Amino acid sequence: MKYASITDRLADLGGAKWKVHFEARKLRAEGRKIIELTIGEPDVPTPDRLIDAATAALQQGRTGYSNGRGEAGLLHALTARYGQRRGRKFTPQQFLCLPGTQTVLYLLFAALTEAGDEVLVADPMYATYEGVIRASGATMVPVRLLPENGFRLQAADVAAKITPRSRVLFLNSPHNPSGAVLGRDDIAALGALARQHDLWIVSDEVYEDLVFPGVAFHSPLDFPELADRTIAAASISKSHAAPGFRSGWCVGPEEFIARALPLAETMLFGNQPFLADATAAALAAPSDVAPGMAARFQHRAQMLHQRLNGVAGLRVTLPQAGMFALIDVTASGQSGEAFAMALLRAKGVAVMPGESFGPGLAGWLRVSLTRPDEDIAAAAEAIATFAQEQVPA
């Protein structure tokens, strides 16, 4: 039997990256005590006001078909939110509502790229980025992020990778897995490159509300001169502790949205009205939970840094946002995957190997900060002990 080429392009991009996570779940099911620091799920339940809004919408019969663009109330809430935050006017015609950021990104690359095109993306990157790029037939062109630059994408490094086939500059700030946040000057320099080479800018901004105290968030949407080439994606999964709602959106030029709408309608002809109503309620006011999460995640990153940085050659980078911290374990002489799997089996601590996020993070670990302080402290002690045991006698 014959299969479409997309199945070959994506064949090695599925669950293999989550091997340590799945092994941890298996061990826990067998009765082993595991501190799971692999995935980035909010550490608080979805706020009552979102549950109440969704419940009220269900009770009011908001269970019918929607339109392909999004419910009017949600489009109005998005227009108001982006106008207030970006300091310029937006219209409802600049938005598409879809079930989560992952679906949005699949749509964007399907609408912007095809076989022969290239997408410039930071390395390391979120584990599914390669898949949403490859799905369209485009080629991913990784641009290395360096710890000495704070894992912030540098315009000069991007410029060195641009070719006549380059079509999209894919940004992620705040960045997963590093927690780095691009500064205004960083974005201005990257935007100048995009204009010079006629590149689209796709910006994953799902962690916008989880910047740590004292850190400023900037978006290419802040720059009017980039408005005709920037499409941003986000959702309420992180900011409002509602990952199961699967409610996301993209914002971009009206012409792009009009051209992408038929494609979106072939994927899902309108998302659920009751979830749209809950999302509109979420966006109508500042998040109830994001400030607390950001403060806790920053504190937990500092806990890891204080306990582990310098122990047996470990190096912990302090994030500026998001749900994760990175640990450099190259001094152990092991890959991140080998270290993570051995740590899980020896100490019952599950973390993600850096290799799951690209070759730029080989020999590193990504540690979720979404467990309680006592779990983070216990994990730090276990990692320290394990790392010291790896040092040759």
Side-chain angles (χ1 to χ4, degrees), residues 123-124 144 151 177-178 326 336 353-355 357-366:
D123 170 23
R144 185 64 60 90
F151 286 103
S178 74
L326 297 180
E355 289 85 356
F357 306 96
L361 213 58
W364 290 66
L365 308 174
R366 190 194 75 169

Side-chain angles (χ1 to χ4, degrees), residues 1 5 17 32 39 53 69 72 83 102 115 126 129 156 167 169 196 250 271 277 288 347 370 375:
M1 301 295 290
S5 61
K17 293 187 176 184
R32 178 86 181 272
I39 60 176
R69 184 184 296 274
Q102 182 74 14
Y126 180 58
Y129 281 0
R167 293 291 177 269
L169 173 59
Q196 179 184 349
C250 63
N271 54 359
D277 292 353
D288 306 282
K347 303 296 182 183
T370 61
D375 284 357

Side-chain angles (χ1 to χ4, degrees), residues 37 41-44 212 292-308 316-319 322-325 327 367-377 380:
L37 305 178
E41 198 157 21
D43 66 343
V44 291
F212 294 168
M293 283 195 289
R296 288 192 299 277
F297 299 157
Q298 182 183 45
H299 171 67
R300 291 167 190 165
Q302 291 168 343
M303 289 174 61
L304 286 177
H305 188 271
Q306 290 167 1
R307 179 62 185 92
L308 295 177
V316 180
T317 63
L318 287 171
M323 298 178 162
F324 311 102
I327 304 176
V367 181
S368 173
L369 303 170
T370 61
R371 300 298 304 163
D373 287 7
E374 54 268 29
D375 284 357
I376 299 295

Side-chain angles (χ1 to χ4, degrees), residues 129-194:
Y129 281 0
E130 186 172 2
V132 295
I133 293 168
R134 274 204 214 172
S136 73
T139 299
M140 183 183 74
V141 178
V143 182
R144 185 64 60 90
L145 301 181
L146 299 176
E148 52 265 38
N149 292 329
F151 286 103
R152 296 195 321 276
L153 189 62
Q154 303 295 296
D157 295 333
V158 173
K161 295 294 187 88
I162 293 175
T163 77
R165 296 182 298 278
S166 301
R167 293 291 177 269
V168 178
L169 173 59
F170 186 9
L171 304 181
N172 174 213
S173 178
H175 181 251
N176 180 3
S178 74
V181 179
L182 291 174
R184 186 174 180 85
D185 290 346
D186 297 322
I187 295 174
L190 293 164
L193 272 182

Side-chain angles (χ1 to χ4, degrees), residues 23-108:
E23 179 67 13
R25 290 285 174 95
K26 176 177 175 287
L27 291 174
R28 190 169 67 182
E30 294 171 354
R32 178 86 181 272
K33 183 178 180 181
I34 303 294
I35 301 176
E36 186 179 289
L37 305 178
T38 48
I39 60 176
E41 198 157 21
D43 66 343
V44 291
T46 304
D48 288 343
R49 70 181 181 92
L50 271 69
I51 302 296
D52 292 344
T55 302
L58 284 167
Q59 293 171 337
Q60 292 163 14
R62 296 280 286 147
T63 57
Y65 288 123
S66 180
N67 66 78
R69 184 184 296 274
E71 290 292 295
L74 178 52
L75 294 173
H76 174 77
L78 287 165
T79 301
R81 169 192 170 100
Y82 279 84
Q84 292 165 0
R85 293 197 174 190
R86 304 293 172 251
R88 59 184 179 87
K89 183 179 179 181
F90 288 81
T91 70
Q93 289 71 41
Q94 290 182 255
F95 295 90
L96 275 178
C97 301
L98 292 111
T101 309
Q102 182 74 14
T103 311
V104 170
L105 294 175
Y106 186 97
L107 168 75
L108 297 187

Side-chain angles (χ1 to χ4, degrees), residues 235-260:
S235 76
I236 61 170
S237 294
K238 310 297 186 182
S239 59
H240 291 77
F245 275 48
R246 311 311 300 152
S247 184
W249 59 86
C250 63
V251 51
E254 288 187 6
E255 180 183 3
F256 168 79
I257 297 298
R259 291 177 70 92

